[in-house]
């Protein structure tokens, strides 16, 4: 079951949108839990997004795309066998 990469709800207090500034990985790349994978900006402040799980990432939002709190920006598919 995939794990969503979500823009956290607690990074900033205002009801402002963020912008995806960078991806530090590519779709289909293997990532490890805790790896820095993306950066978003809101109100001139950069926030880092880390991988919530190990697996293969699929990027769902492009650089410069506007996102809100709780937006799914990627998905990580576990490589563990059931």
């Amino acid at each position: 079951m995939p794990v969503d990469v979500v823009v956290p709800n607690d990074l900033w207090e205002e009801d402002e949108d963020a912008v995806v500034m960078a991806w530090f990985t590519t779709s289909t790349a293997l990532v490890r839990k805790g790896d820095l994978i993306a950066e978003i900006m809101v109100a001139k402040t950069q926030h880092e997004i880390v991988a919530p799980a190990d697996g293969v990432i699929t990027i769902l939002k492009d650089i410069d795309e506007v996102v809100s709190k709780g937006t799914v920006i990627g998905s990580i598919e576990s490589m563990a066998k059931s």
Side-chain angles (χ1 to χ4, degrees):
M1 173 182 270
V3 175
D4 290 336
V5 179
V6 179
V7 176
N9 289 317
D10 60 354
L11 287 181
W12 64 95
E13 293 187 22
E14 294 82 24
D15 217 13
E16 295 181 52
D17 289 331
V19 176
V20 178
M21 297 302 296
W23 280 101
F24 301 114
T25 188
T26 58
S27 275
T28 72
L30 181 63
V31 296
R32 298 275 182 207
K33 183 176 182 175
D35 285 354
L36 175 62
I37 56 172
E39 189 172 70
I40 60 172
M41 181 175 283
V42 63
K44 298 183 183 179
T45 303
Q46 293 174 312
H47 299 280
E48 296 177 340
I49 305 293
V50 297
D54 295 344
V56 176
I57 190 166
T58 300
I59 293 172
L60 302 176
K61 299 294 182 183
D62 294 325
I63 292 174
D64 293 330
E65 197 161 341
V66 176
V67 295
S68 301
K69 293 177 183 180
T71 300
V72 176
I73 62 172
S75 180
I76 298 174
E77 183 70 44
S78 173
M79 294 188 61
K81 297 189 183 203
S82 305

